[in-house]
Short mmCIF file of all heavy atoms in Angstrom, two decimals:
data_model
loop_
_atom_site.label_atom_id
_atom_site.label_comp_id
_atom_site.label_asym_id
_atom_site.label_seq_id
_atom_site.Cartn_x
_atom_site.Cartn_y
_atom_site.Cartn_z
N PRO A 494 0.27 39.06 -69.49
CA PRO A 494 0.42 39.01 -70.97
C PRO A 494 0.91 40.41 -71.63
O PRO A 494 1.63 40.38 -72.57
CB PRO A 494 -0.92 38.50 -71.46
CG PRO A 494 -1.49 37.74 -70.37
CD PRO A 494 -1.07 38.46 -69.09
N GLU A 495 0.25 41.49 -71.06
CA GLU A 495 0.68 42.79 -71.60
C GLU A 495 2.15 43.00 -71.47
O GLU A 495 2.78 43.51 -72.37
CB GLU A 495 -0.18 43.91 -70.90
CG GLU A 495 -1.65 43.87 -71.26
CD GLU A 495 -2.42 42.79 -70.50
OE1 GLU A 495 -1.90 42.26 -69.50
OE2 GLU A 495 -3.55 42.49 -70.92
N GLY A 496 2.75 42.67 -70.33
CA GLY A 496 4.13 42.87 -70.12
C GLY A 496 4.91 42.02 -70.96
O GLY A 496 6.03 42.40 -71.56
N ARG A 497 4.51 40.76 -71.14
CA ARG A 497 5.27 39.78 -71.97
C ARG A 497 5.27 40.27 -73.42
O ARG A 497 6.21 40.10 -74.11
CB ARG A 497 4.72 38.39 -71.82
CG ARG A 497 5.02 37.77 -70.42
CD ARG A 497 4.63 36.24 -70.37
NE ARG A 497 3.25 36.07 -70.32
CZ ARG A 497 2.48 36.10 -69.16
NH1 ARG A 497 3.11 36.37 -68.08
NH2 ARG A 497 1.22 35.88 -69.10
N ASP A 498 4.04 40.74 -73.93
CA ASP A 498 4.01 41.25 -75.27
C ASP A 498 4.96 42.35 -75.47
O ASP A 498 5.61 42.49 -76.50
CB ASP A 498 2.55 41.75 -75.61
CG ASP A 498 1.69 40.53 -75.75
OD1 ASP A 498 2.14 39.40 -75.86
OD2 ASP A 498 0.41 40.68 -75.70
N ALA A 499 5.05 43.31 -74.52
CA ALA A 499 5.88 44.51 -74.62
C ALA A 499 7.39 44.14 -74.62
O ALA A 499 8.16 44.64 -75.42
CB ALA A 499 5.61 45.48 -73.45
N LEU A 500 7.69 43.14 -73.78
CA LEU A 500 9.06 42.56 -73.78
C LEU A 500 9.40 41.92 -75.05
O LEU A 500 10.49 42.08 -75.66
CB LEU A 500 9.25 41.60 -72.56
CG LEU A 500 10.63 40.85 -72.51
CD1 LEU A 500 11.82 41.92 -72.49
CD2 LEU A 500 10.67 39.94 -71.36
N SER A 501 8.50 41.09 -75.62
CA SER A 501 8.78 40.46 -76.91
C SER A 501 9.01 41.41 -78.03
O SER A 501 9.91 41.19 -78.90
CB SER A 501 7.59 39.58 -77.31
OG SER A 501 7.42 38.58 -76.36
N ALA A 502 8.26 42.51 -77.98
CA ALA A 502 8.51 43.56 -79.03
C ALA A 502 9.79 44.21 -78.93
O ALA A 502 10.51 44.56 -79.90
CB ALA A 502 7.41 44.54 -79.01
N ALA A 503 10.28 44.40 -77.65
CA ALA A 503 11.56 45.10 -77.40
C ALA A 503 12.76 44.22 -77.67
O ALA A 503 13.82 44.75 -77.99
CB ALA A 503 11.59 45.58 -76.01
N GLU A 504 12.54 42.87 -77.67
CA GLU A 504 13.76 41.97 -77.70
C GLU A 504 14.47 42.04 -79.04
O GLU A 504 15.62 41.69 -79.14
CB GLU A 504 13.33 40.53 -77.41
CG GLU A 504 13.12 40.34 -75.89
CD GLU A 504 12.58 38.93 -75.58
OE1 GLU A 504 11.90 38.35 -76.53
OE2 GLU A 504 12.76 38.46 -74.47
N SER A 505 13.73 42.50 -80.07
CA SER A 505 14.39 42.59 -81.40
C SER A 505 15.00 43.97 -81.65
O SER A 505 15.63 44.16 -82.69
CB SER A 505 13.32 42.25 -82.48
OG SER A 505 12.23 43.14 -82.41
N SER A 506 14.79 44.83 -80.70
CA SER A 506 15.39 46.14 -80.99
C SER A 506 16.86 46.17 -80.85
O SER A 506 17.48 45.44 -80.10
CB SER A 506 14.77 47.18 -80.00
OG SER A 506 15.33 46.95 -78.68
N PRO A 507 17.57 47.02 -81.66
CA PRO A 507 19.09 47.13 -81.58
C PRO A 507 19.53 47.42 -80.17
O PRO A 507 20.57 46.90 -79.73
CB PRO A 507 19.45 48.26 -82.60
CG PRO A 507 18.27 48.21 -83.53
CD PRO A 507 17.07 47.93 -82.74
N ALA A 508 18.84 48.40 -79.49
CA ALA A 508 19.34 48.70 -78.23
C ALA A 508 19.28 47.62 -77.19
O ALA A 508 20.17 47.38 -76.40
CB ALA A 508 18.43 49.91 -77.65
N TYR A 509 18.31 46.68 -77.32
CA TYR A 509 18.30 45.51 -76.49
C TYR A 509 19.38 44.49 -76.85
O TYR A 509 20.02 43.94 -76.06
CB TYR A 509 16.89 44.90 -76.53
CG TYR A 509 16.60 43.74 -75.59
CD1 TYR A 509 16.18 43.95 -74.33
CD2 TYR A 509 16.84 42.40 -76.04
CE1 TYR A 509 15.94 42.90 -73.53
CE2 TYR A 509 16.74 41.37 -75.14
CZ TYR A 509 16.19 41.56 -73.90
OH TYR A 509 16.01 40.51 -73.05
N GLN A 510 19.45 44.34 -78.19
CA GLN A 510 20.39 43.23 -78.66
C GLN A 510 21.85 43.64 -78.39
O GLN A 510 22.71 42.76 -78.33
CB GLN A 510 20.19 43.09 -80.16
CG GLN A 510 18.94 42.44 -80.52
CD GLN A 510 18.83 40.93 -80.05
OE1 GLN A 510 19.82 40.25 -80.08
NE2 GLN A 510 17.61 40.48 -79.75
N ARG A 511 22.08 44.90 -78.22
CA ARG A 511 23.50 45.35 -77.96
C ARG A 511 23.95 45.07 -76.50
O ARG A 511 25.08 45.18 -76.24
CB ARG A 511 23.70 46.89 -78.28
CG ARG A 511 23.81 47.19 -79.70
CD ARG A 511 24.36 48.59 -79.92
NE ARG A 511 23.39 49.61 -79.40
CZ ARG A 511 22.51 50.16 -80.21
NH1 ARG A 511 22.42 49.84 -81.46
NH2 ARG A 511 21.69 51.08 -79.65
N LEU A 512 23.02 44.78 -75.61
CA LEU A 512 23.45 44.63 -74.23
C LEU A 512 24.35 43.40 -74.01
O LEU A 512 24.04 42.37 -74.66
CB LEU A 512 22.12 44.34 -73.35
CG LEU A 512 21.10 45.51 -73.29
CD1 LEU A 512 19.89 45.07 -72.41
CD2 LEU A 512 21.78 46.78 -72.64
N ASP A 513 25.41 43.57 -73.26
CA ASP A 513 26.33 42.50 -73.11
C ASP A 513 25.65 41.28 -72.43
O ASP A 513 25.97 40.04 -72.83
CB ASP A 513 27.46 42.91 -72.17
CG ASP A 513 28.38 43.88 -72.90
OD1 ASP A 513 28.43 43.91 -74.13
OD2 ASP A 513 29.10 44.67 -72.22
N VAL A 514 24.70 41.48 -71.54
CA VAL A 514 24.06 40.46 -70.83
C VAL A 514 23.25 39.58 -71.84
O VAL A 514 23.07 38.37 -71.59
CB VAL A 514 23.22 40.95 -69.58
CG1 VAL A 514 21.99 41.72 -70.09
CG2 VAL A 514 22.83 39.83 -68.70
N VAL A 515 22.72 40.24 -72.83
CA VAL A 515 21.97 39.54 -73.85
C VAL A 515 22.84 38.62 -74.67
O VAL A 515 22.62 37.43 -74.95
CB VAL A 515 21.20 40.58 -74.77
CG1 VAL A 515 20.47 39.83 -75.94
CG2 VAL A 515 20.16 41.29 -73.96
N GLU A 516 23.98 39.25 -75.11
CA GLU A 516 24.96 38.46 -75.88
C GLU A 516 25.47 37.28 -75.17
O GLU A 516 25.80 36.22 -75.75
CB GLU A 516 26.14 39.42 -76.28
CG GLU A 516 25.67 40.49 -77.27
CD GLU A 516 26.88 41.39 -77.71
OE1 GLU A 516 28.02 41.14 -77.19
OE2 GLU A 516 26.70 42.30 -78.50
N ARG A 517 25.63 37.30 -73.84
CA ARG A 517 26.14 36.20 -73.00
C ARG A 517 25.04 35.18 -72.76
O ARG A 517 25.35 34.10 -72.29
CB ARG A 517 26.66 36.69 -71.72
CG ARG A 517 28.08 37.41 -71.79
CD ARG A 517 28.68 37.49 -70.38
NE ARG A 517 27.94 38.28 -69.54
CZ ARG A 517 28.03 39.57 -69.30
NH1 ARG A 517 28.90 40.25 -70.01
NH2 ARG A 517 27.25 40.22 -68.42
N GLY A 518 23.79 35.58 -73.14
CA GLY A 518 22.64 34.58 -72.78
C GLY A 518 22.39 34.51 -71.36
O GLY A 518 21.84 33.48 -70.81
N HIS A 519 22.58 35.65 -70.65
CA HIS A 519 22.33 35.59 -69.22
C HIS A 519 21.08 36.49 -68.73
O HIS A 519 21.04 36.92 -67.68
CB HIS A 519 23.53 36.11 -68.45
CG HIS A 519 24.67 35.11 -68.33
ND1 HIS A 519 25.84 35.29 -67.67
CD2 HIS A 519 24.70 33.83 -68.77
CE1 HIS A 519 26.60 34.23 -67.69
NE2 HIS A 519 25.90 33.34 -68.39
N VAL A 520 20.16 36.62 -69.77
CA VAL A 520 18.87 37.20 -69.38
C VAL A 520 17.99 36.02 -68.98
O VAL A 520 17.59 35.12 -69.74
CB VAL A 520 18.21 37.94 -70.56
CG1 VAL A 520 16.87 38.48 -70.16
CG2 VAL A 520 19.22 39.09 -71.03
N ILE A 521 17.51 36.04 -67.72
CA ILE A 521 16.77 34.89 -67.13
C ILE A 521 15.25 35.39 -66.93
O ILE A 521 14.98 36.23 -66.11
CB ILE A 521 17.32 34.53 -65.73
CG1 ILE A 521 18.87 34.35 -65.85
CG2 ILE A 521 16.60 33.32 -65.28
CD1 ILE A 521 19.35 33.31 -66.79
N PRO A 522 14.40 34.77 -67.72
CA PRO A 522 12.95 35.16 -67.56
C PRO A 522 12.43 34.62 -66.22
O PRO A 522 12.63 33.43 -65.94
CB PRO A 522 12.24 34.48 -68.86
CG PRO A 522 13.32 33.90 -69.61
CD PRO A 522 14.56 33.83 -68.77
N VAL A 523 11.77 35.51 -65.50
CA VAL A 523 11.19 34.96 -64.20
C VAL A 523 9.68 35.53 -64.12
O VAL A 523 9.39 36.52 -64.78
CB VAL A 523 11.99 35.55 -62.99
CG1 VAL A 523 13.33 34.83 -62.99
CG2 VAL A 523 12.23 36.96 -63.00
N ASP A 524 8.97 34.87 -63.25
CA ASP A 524 7.58 35.26 -63.10
C ASP A 524 7.51 36.52 -62.19
O ASP A 524 7.84 36.51 -60.97
CB ASP A 524 6.78 34.05 -62.47
CG ASP A 524 5.33 34.36 -62.21
OD1 ASP A 524 4.84 35.47 -62.41
OD2 ASP A 524 4.64 33.44 -61.83
N GLY A 525 6.96 37.61 -62.69
CA GLY A 525 6.96 38.85 -61.96
C GLY A 525 5.92 38.74 -60.83
O GLY A 525 6.06 39.44 -59.74
N GLN A 526 4.93 37.86 -60.85
CA GLN A 526 3.94 37.71 -59.76
C GLN A 526 4.76 37.08 -58.56
O GLN A 526 4.38 37.34 -57.46
CB GLN A 526 2.82 36.81 -60.19
CG GLN A 526 1.88 37.41 -61.22
CD GLN A 526 0.74 36.44 -61.60
OE1 GLN A 526 0.57 35.45 -60.97
NE2 GLN A 526 -0.02 36.83 -62.61
N LEU A 527 5.71 36.31 -58.82
CA LEU A 527 6.51 35.74 -57.76
C LEU A 527 7.68 36.60 -57.34
O LEU A 527 7.82 36.98 -56.20
CB LEU A 527 7.10 34.41 -58.23
CG LEU A 527 8.18 33.75 -57.32
CD1 LEU A 527 7.58 33.38 -55.91
CD2 LEU A 527 8.72 32.41 -57.95
N TRP A 528 8.49 37.11 -58.35
CA TRP A 528 9.73 37.80 -58.00
C TRP A 528 9.51 39.31 -57.62
O TRP A 528 10.35 39.89 -56.98
CB TRP A 528 10.64 37.71 -59.21
CG TRP A 528 11.39 36.44 -59.31
CD1 TRP A 528 10.90 35.22 -59.59
CD2 TRP A 528 12.74 36.19 -59.12
NE1 TRP A 528 11.85 34.25 -59.58
CE2 TRP A 528 13.03 34.85 -59.27
CE3 TRP A 528 13.83 37.05 -58.82
CZ2 TRP A 528 14.32 34.29 -59.17
CZ3 TRP A 528 15.08 36.56 -58.72
CH2 TRP A 528 15.34 35.18 -58.84
N THR A 529 8.42 39.89 -58.09
CA THR A 529 8.34 41.36 -57.85
C THR A 529 7.01 41.75 -57.10
O THR A 529 6.79 42.92 -56.88
CB THR A 529 8.35 42.14 -59.17
OG1 THR A 529 7.19 41.85 -59.95
CG2 THR A 529 9.60 41.83 -59.97
N SER A 530 6.22 40.77 -56.64
CA SER A 530 4.97 41.03 -55.95
C SER A 530 4.84 40.22 -54.70
O SER A 530 4.34 40.75 -53.69
CB SER A 530 3.78 40.81 -56.86
OG SER A 530 2.57 41.24 -56.22
N ALA A 531 5.32 38.94 -54.78
CA ALA A 531 5.06 38.09 -53.65
C ALA A 531 6.02 38.24 -52.49
O ALA A 531 7.07 38.87 -52.73
CB ALA A 531 4.99 36.66 -54.15
N SER A 532 5.75 37.55 -51.41
CA SER A 532 6.72 37.47 -50.33
C SER A 532 6.19 36.31 -49.43
O SER A 532 5.06 35.95 -49.52
CB SER A 532 6.82 38.68 -49.52
OG SER A 532 5.73 39.03 -48.78
N GLY A 533 7.04 35.71 -48.60
CA GLY A 533 6.67 34.70 -47.77
C GLY A 533 7.47 33.38 -47.97
O GLY A 533 8.27 33.26 -48.89
N PRO A 534 7.34 32.45 -47.04
CA PRO A 534 8.19 31.16 -47.04
C PRO A 534 8.01 30.43 -48.34
O PRO A 534 9.01 29.88 -48.81
CB PRO A 534 7.71 30.44 -45.85
CG PRO A 534 7.11 31.48 -44.96
CD PRO A 534 6.51 32.45 -45.87
N ILE A 535 6.76 30.24 -48.79
CA ILE A 535 6.62 29.39 -50.04
C ILE A 535 7.20 30.08 -51.19
O ILE A 535 7.87 29.48 -52.10
CB ILE A 535 5.09 29.10 -50.24
CG1 ILE A 535 4.55 28.32 -49.06
CG2 ILE A 535 4.84 28.33 -51.51
CD1 ILE A 535 3.06 28.15 -49.09
N ALA A 536 7.08 31.40 -51.28
CA ALA A 536 7.66 32.21 -52.37
C ALA A 536 9.19 32.08 -52.24
O ALA A 536 9.87 32.00 -53.29
CB ALA A 536 7.24 33.64 -52.22
N ALA A 537 9.75 32.12 -51.08
CA ALA A 537 11.18 32.04 -50.93
C ALA A 537 11.68 30.73 -51.50
O ALA A 537 12.76 30.67 -52.20
CB ALA A 537 11.55 32.15 -49.45
N GLN A 538 11.02 29.58 -51.25
CA GLN A 538 11.47 28.35 -51.82
C GLN A 538 11.34 28.33 -53.39
O GLN A 538 12.23 27.82 -54.05
CB GLN A 538 10.56 27.20 -51.23
CG GLN A 538 10.88 26.85 -49.79
CD GLN A 538 12.13 26.10 -49.52
OE1 GLN A 538 13.00 25.99 -50.36
NE2 GLN A 538 12.22 25.52 -48.28
N ALA A 539 10.32 29.03 -53.88
CA ALA A 539 10.15 29.08 -55.26
C ALA A 539 11.21 29.94 -56.02
O ALA A 539 11.66 29.53 -57.06
CB ALA A 539 8.78 29.59 -55.62
N VAL A 540 11.60 30.99 -55.34
CA VAL A 540 12.68 31.77 -55.89
C VAL A 540 14.02 31.03 -55.86
O VAL A 540 14.79 31.11 -56.77
CB VAL A 540 12.83 33.18 -55.06
CG1 VAL A 540 14.11 33.87 -55.46
CG2 VAL A 540 11.58 34.06 -55.36
N LEU A 541 14.26 30.30 -54.80
CA LEU A 541 15.42 29.53 -54.73
C LEU A 541 15.48 28.46 -55.70
O LEU A 541 16.49 28.10 -56.37
CB LEU A 541 15.55 28.91 -53.30
CG LEU A 541 15.88 29.80 -52.13
CD1 LEU A 541 15.75 29.17 -50.77
CD2 LEU A 541 17.34 30.38 -52.28
N ASP A 542 14.18 27.82 -56.05
CA ASP A 542 14.16 26.96 -57.19
C ASP A 542 14.65 27.50 -58.49
O ASP A 542 15.41 26.94 -59.21
CB ASP A 542 12.73 26.43 -57.40
CG ASP A 542 12.24 25.56 -56.30
OD1 ASP A 542 13.04 24.95 -55.53
OD2 ASP A 542 11.01 25.38 -56.14
N ASP A 543 14.15 28.80 -58.76
CA ASP A 543 14.54 29.50 -59.98
C ASP A 543 16.08 29.72 -60.02
O ASP A 543 16.73 29.62 -61.05
CB ASP A 543 13.84 30.81 -60.04
CG ASP A 543 12.36 30.57 -60.44
OD1 ASP A 543 11.95 29.47 -60.83
OD2 ASP A 543 11.56 31.59 -60.34
N ILE A 544 16.64 30.14 -58.87
CA ILE A 544 18.03 30.48 -58.85
C ILE A 544 18.93 29.18 -59.11
O ILE A 544 19.82 29.24 -59.89
CB ILE A 544 18.41 31.14 -57.47
CG1 ILE A 544 17.75 32.45 -57.35
CG2 ILE A 544 19.98 31.24 -57.42
CD1 ILE A 544 17.95 33.03 -55.95
N GLU A 545 18.48 28.11 -58.50
CA GLU A 545 19.17 26.82 -58.61
C GLU A 545 19.09 26.38 -60.09
O GLU A 545 20.16 25.96 -60.64
CB GLU A 545 18.59 25.83 -57.65
CG GLU A 545 19.47 24.58 -57.52
CD GLU A 545 18.97 23.69 -56.42
OE1 GLU A 545 17.74 23.49 -56.17
OE2 GLU A 545 19.79 23.15 -55.62
N LYS A 546 17.89 26.48 -60.66
CA LYS A 546 17.77 26.03 -62.07
C LYS A 546 18.60 26.90 -62.99
O LYS A 546 19.25 26.38 -63.93
CB LYS A 546 16.25 26.15 -62.46
CG LYS A 546 15.97 25.76 -63.84
CD LYS A 546 14.45 25.89 -64.13
CE LYS A 546 14.20 25.53 -65.62
NZ LYS A 546 12.73 25.81 -65.87
N THR A 547 18.67 28.17 -62.66
CA THR A 547 19.49 29.08 -63.49
C THR A 547 20.90 28.73 -63.49
O THR A 547 21.60 28.60 -64.56
CB THR A 547 19.35 30.60 -62.94
OG1 THR A 547 17.96 30.98 -63.10
CG2 THR A 547 20.22 31.61 -63.69
N ILE A 548 21.50 28.54 -62.29
CA ILE A 548 22.94 28.25 -62.32
C ILE A 548 23.26 26.88 -62.82
O ILE A 548 24.37 26.64 -63.29
CB ILE A 548 23.51 28.40 -60.91
CG1 ILE A 548 22.79 27.48 -59.89
CG2 ILE A 548 23.42 29.90 -60.39
CD1 ILE A 548 23.44 27.54 -58.53
N GLU A 549 22.32 25.96 -62.75
CA GLU A 549 22.58 24.57 -63.27
C GLU A 549 22.51 24.52 -64.75
O GLU A 549 23.11 23.70 -65.41
CB GLU A 549 21.52 23.66 -62.69
CG GLU A 549 21.68 23.40 -61.14
CD GLU A 549 23.09 22.91 -60.79
OE1 GLU A 549 23.78 22.28 -61.50
OE2 GLU A 549 23.43 23.18 -59.55
N THR A 550 21.69 25.36 -65.41
CA THR A 550 21.50 25.40 -66.87
C THR A 550 22.31 26.43 -67.56
O THR A 550 22.88 26.10 -68.66
CB THR A 550 20.00 25.51 -67.19
OG1 THR A 550 19.52 26.73 -66.64
CG2 THR A 550 19.18 24.50 -66.65
#
Side-chain angles (χ1 to χ4, degrees):
E495 290 77 15
R497 288 191 285 277
D498 289 345
L500 174 59
S501 295
E504 284 174 336
S505 58
S506 72
Y509 185 89
Q510 290 293 329
R511 280 196 297 269
L512 296 177
D513 288 339
V514 70
V515 174
E516 292 182 358
R517 286 197 297 270
H519 282 182
V520 178
I521 311 299
V523 294
D524 182 353
Q526 294 182 5
L527 169 64
W528 279 69
T529 68
S530 182
S532 68
I535 298 172
Q538 290 283 16
V540 169
L541 287 168
D542 287 344
D543 285 349
I544 295 172
E545 193 167 40
K546 181 180 176 183
T547 295
I548 59 173
E549 295 300 337
T550 57

